[in-house]
Amino acid sequence: MPDPVNGAAMVGIITYPTTALASSLTVGRFRLAAAEDASPAAGKFPLVIFSHGTGGQPELYLWLFEGLTAKGFVVAGLAHPKDNSKDRSGSFGDALLVDRARHISALIDDVEHDAGLSETIDGEKIGVVGHSAGGYTAILSAGAMPDFSQFKGRCREDAQPGPDRPSFAHNPSSLPVPDRRVRAVAAMAPALGCLFDRDNLSAIHVPIRFYQADNDEVLQPGFNGAYFASQFVQPPDLVHVANAGHFIFLNTCPFIMSLLAREICFDPRGTNRDDVHHRLIEDIALFFRHALDSGLHQNRDDGQ
């Protein structure tokens, strides 16, 4: 599908319920139990849009695609242009800070109008889930408006970027645009909390759930999920993932990959990533099931 920012091609993954027999498919370095290009199962299903972390790819989160689809969701995610593992030219600029929100809306448009899937989607039940920069993206899609002046304020004073962390650059004339079709948000270890306070999050009127890795070694603890949750007048759900680092939300790594990418593949002693993923799928699926129903009623009351 075309990038709404510059027209270049965007690629991604869509998984959906089917009655076809699954096989083991290779996606990147990982395996997915699925039936490729099978006919969708009968009925309408909620849609969950996924947003990956900075410099990532959707296939790093196949556990989430497979798990939520098995629970009766259509799940779609794309490689955010200029902020993915093959091209990070925009990872510290508006390609991350602003454009990602437009990618989410474009992906919803594309899935809703897809000839093979449009009849499978319940357009009144759309959620967004994201990890790290993807968590930030999910929050934008629900109506959050970051204060980019804080790159010289809270982000500098409290996040302590250090000499090895590049500075972010933002064009003041460019702002993210929320999508009113988004009815619920789940944010896993959301990034860039220092850009928000209670006022910046006040436009969010949909159910939201935060997941914080309690041993997050990448994000400053003061500006992770717990910080976001504290900035709401009515605190949303906050789930602590104990004895887990930032990359607990990525796939369990194959053996060779674990040797080549130890930073993202190894977890604290006593933590089994597959077990954590199993618990997260149960929790996230239950959240979206309840939230998309209640969020539908709430948004209609708000005139949205």
Side-chain angles (χ1 to χ4, degrees):
M1 57 174 288
D3 180 352
V5 178
N6 57 32
M10 299 192 295
V11 297
I13 299 170
I14 299 177
T15 55
Y16 48 87
T18 180
T19 58
L21 184 65
S23 60
S24 181
L25 304 177
T26 299
V27 184
R29 295 176 178 268
F30 304 97
R31 306 292 292 177
L32 175 69
E36 190 170 12
D37 295 329
S39 297
K44 286 186 175 290
F45 303 94
L47 171 64
V48 172
I49 301 295
F50 174 74
S51 180
H52 62 75
T54 185
Q57 290 281 352
E59 58 259 36
L60 290 171
Y61 304 85
L62 293 182
W63 67 273
L64 189 64
F65 282 79
E66 185 174 330
L68 288 180
T69 303
K71 295 290 186 180
F73 295 85
V74 175
V75 187
L78 51 78
H80 287 288
K82 297 186 179 181
D83 185 28
N84 59 71
S85 61
K86 297 179 181 179
D87 178 6
R88 297 206 61 182
S89 60
S91 291
F92 299 100
D94 285 343
L96 182 156
L97 298 172
V98 175
D99 298 344
R100 277 170 163 257
R102 295 183 63 185
H103 301 154
I104 296 298
S105 294
L107 183 53
I108 295 174
D109 289 341
D110 191 72
V111 176
E112 286 192 323
H113 294 95
D114 183 271
L117 289 174
S118 59
E119 296 301 316
T120 303
I121 303 298
D122 185 341
E124 295 293 335
K125 295 183 179 181
I126 299 175
V128 181
V129 58
H131 171 228
S132 194
Y136 163 84
T137 305
I139 295 164
L140 295 186
S141 72
M145 189 57 62
D147 177 3
F148 295 115
S149 71
Q150 292 302 328
F151 281 129
K152 297 181 180 179
R154 283 189 301 267
C155 298
R156 179 185 296 274
E157 296 168 4
D158 296 327
Q160 301 173 358
D164 58 338
R165 295 180 184 237
S167 299
F168 284 89
H170 167 63
N171 178 354
S173 66
S174 182
L175 294 173
V177 179
D179 194 312
R180 290 191 173 186
R181 294 170 294 182
V182 174
R183 306 292 189 177
V185 163
M188 304 182 295
L192 296 172
C194 58
L195 297 179
F196 300 92
D197 59 20
R198 185 161 292 185
D199 289 340
N200 305 122
L201 298 170
S202 62
I204 296 180
H205 300 294
V206 300
I208 187 166
R209 192 168 179 84
F210 292 100
Y211 294 84
Q212 173 163 301
D214 282 346
N215 292 2
D216 197 317
E217 72 281 23
V218 174
L219 299 179
Q220 291 292 327
F223 289 106
N224 198 326
Y227 171 78
F228 275 101
S230 72
Q231 297 304 303
F232 287 78
V233 175
Q234 295 183 339
D237 295 333
L238 172 66
V239 176
H240 289 271
V241 185
N243 199 37
H246 188 74
F247 299 106
I248 195 73
F249 301 105
L250 272 61
N251 294 334
T252 299
C253 296
F255 176 71
I256 296 299
M257 184 176 176
S258 68
L259 298 179
L260 299 175
R262 293 180 61 87
E263 179 184 4
I264 67 173
C265 291
F266 278 83
D267 302 304
R269 184 181 297 274
T271 295
N272 182 291
R273 192 174 293 196
D274 288 335
D275 290 344
V276 173
H277 290 171
H278 177 76
R279 294 195 299 270
L280 286 172
I281 286 296
E282 295 294 327
D283 193 89
I284 294 171
L286 184 63
F287 164 71
F288 276 127
R289 283 291 180 195
H290 289 170
L292 290 175
D293 288 337
S294 64
L296 175 62
H297 175 72
Q298 181 176 359
N299 276 351
R300 283 179 173 166
D301 286 348
D302 290 343
Q304 296 182 13

